[in-house]
Amino acid sequence: MMNYHELTMGQPRNSPAARKQMLVLCTLGFGVALHAAINAGIFHPVSISQGSFDGGEFVYKTLARDYSTSMGLLRRVADDLSIDWSSGENDDLLFSLYMDEESKVPAGSTRHLGGVIFPSSSKNKSQYQRLVKDDAEKAKITTDMGGVQMEIAKLKYEIGSLPKENKAAVAQFPFTNGFISILIHSYKVFPAMIKYAKEHGEKGNSPVMLTTCSIKQQMCTHYAPLTKGTKYMLKQDDTETYARKVLEQKAANNDGVSMANILKGLKKLSPFSKKDVKSTSEEL
């Protein structure tokens, strides 16, 4: 069977027919992408209300990468526990915990945790805790894994306690389990939830977010603690401290980071940025 290039190799590169074919292909590609984006909720409003979050024991793996890799981390957890994520029977079981504001942390270094949250009285508690003890034996690491998959498979499980939060921001948003859907959540839902948590949370509260998604119902539910967010950091550094450490490490490793970019990144973390000074002067 001949491919597209073999079929068109006899035609001039800039012929009207070639341009027409390219236009048709681009139009079709754009249409498919637009359809996927609409199904994923690109025009869907982010409606946030206040509710509660039950908390519980969290068995998780921690990954410091772009938030778009969070679904891959959850799939790994589901695989380790032999959970059929698509059946709908395990909704509200698998959670992602997003710790950092993406605008404050160098690209590709945001921390997110993926794992299982279960009540302290859960009958399955021993099963999940066993992951922490023998996850090295359970890990199915193969040579055909990609770089990120290999990294996730080698991560160790940890256990943390998440307190019940009686005052939390809650939002539901469409989910199609595709890459476009994950991007929309990252760039539309996450910033809106963090902004709400910063505006309505108690003073000193850390703006973090938890997400659980149902493939069967095609819906994600997002939570942002408004009073106990700092306890959801699980004794890890706050975003500002963590971001500084990442920049310092990159500088020490000469990891393709110029001094200008480091200073720019540190400036973002400063409480006295130009934007803040301008808004203060306007208030005065």
Side-chain angles (χ1 to χ4, degrees), residues 4-280:
Y4 174 80
H5 296 288
E6 290 174 329
L7 290 171
T8 58
M9 63 185 301
Q11 298 179 2
R13 286 188 176 182
N14 296 318
S15 67
R19 290 198 297 270
K20 185 176 181 180
Q21 288 175 345
M22 182 58 67
L23 178 62
V24 171
L25 290 174
C26 290
T27 303
L28 288 175
F30 175 77
V32 170
L34 180 60
H35 181 265
I38 291 174
N39 286 340
I42 192 170
F43 298 124
H44 195 281
V46 181
S47 179
I48 303 173
S49 60
Q50 288 196 16
S52 63
F53 183 74
D54 290 336
E57 298 297 309
F58 189 26
V59 180
Y60 62 91
K61 290 187 173 191
T62 304
L63 186 63
R65 276 183 174 266
D66 189 89
Y67 282 161
S68 61
T69 61
S70 60
M71 287 298 116
L73 181 56
L74 280 186
R75 292 187 186 101
R76 178 71 212 188
V77 175
D79 185 51
D80 285 348
L81 288 172
S82 300
I83 292 175
D84 181 6
W85 195 3
S86 62
S87 67
E89 297 178 0
N90 295 288
D91 292 351
D92 299 323
L93 179 63
L94 293 166
F95 277 84
S96 292
L97 172 57
Y98 303 94
M99 289 189 163
D100 301 311
E101 294 181 62
E102 291 186 277
S103 61
K104 292 185 176 181
V105 176
S109 299
T110 44
R111 296 167 295 174
H112 54 95
L113 284 55
V116 180
I117 297 180
F118 57 97
S120 300
S121 59
S122 173
K123 296 179 180 179
N124 296 321
K125 185 176 181 179
S126 60
Q127 174 191 355
Y128 301 139
Q129 287 181 326
R130 192 162 56 245
L131 278 175
V132 180
K133 298 178 181 179
D134 61 4
D135 60 332
E137 297 177 7
K138 280 180 168 290
K140 307 179 184 96
I141 300 175
T142 59
T143 55
D144 62 341
M145 283 183 171
V148 178
Q149 290 178 315
M150 181 72 76
E151 181 182 350
I152 291 174
K154 290 182 177 180
L155 293 172
K156 298 295 183 181
Y157 280 98
E158 301 174 75
I159 293 182
S161 181
L162 301 178
K164 178 178 176 63
E165 173 62 278
N166 293 317
K167 187 178 179 183
V170 183
Q172 289 192 317
F173 199 83
F175 174 66
T176 60
N177 196 28
F179 183 68
I180 292 179
S181 181
I182 295 171
L183 286 180
I184 292 174
H185 278 257
S186 295
Y187 292 101
K188 182 174 182 178
V189 183
F190 294 179
M193 290 292 291
I194 295 301
K195 180 182 178 182
Y196 186 96
K198 292 172 72 174
E199 292 176 349
H200 297 82
E202 289 187 355
K203 185 177 181 180
N205 180 63
S206 296
V208 301
M209 189 180 73
L210 297 105
T211 298
T212 183
C213 297
S214 171
I215 295 177
K216 186 174 182 179
Q217 297 181 8
Q218 295 190 324
M219 189 68 65
C220 285
T221 304
H222 306 277
Y223 302 89
L226 299 179
T227 65
K228 300 178 181 178
T230 302
K231 293 183 178 180
Y232 280 66
M233 294 296 292
L234 298 174
K235 299 181 180 180
Q236 296 197 37
D237 290 331
D238 58 57
T239 295
E240 287 75 12
T241 302
Y242 169 71
R244 288 192 180 96
K245 288 182 178 180
V246 171
L247 288 169
E248 290 170 0
Q249 187 63 45
K250 286 181 177 291
N253 296 339
N254 194 23
D255 191 16
V257 180
S258 67
M259 185 56 66
N261 287 334
I262 293 175
L263 293 174
K264 184 178 180 182
L266 290 172
K267 188 175 180 180
K268 285 184 179 180
L269 301 173
S270 171
F272 303 108
S273 64
K274 288 184 178 179
K275 183 178 180 181
D276 293 333
V277 172
K278 181 178 179 182
S279 61
T280 303

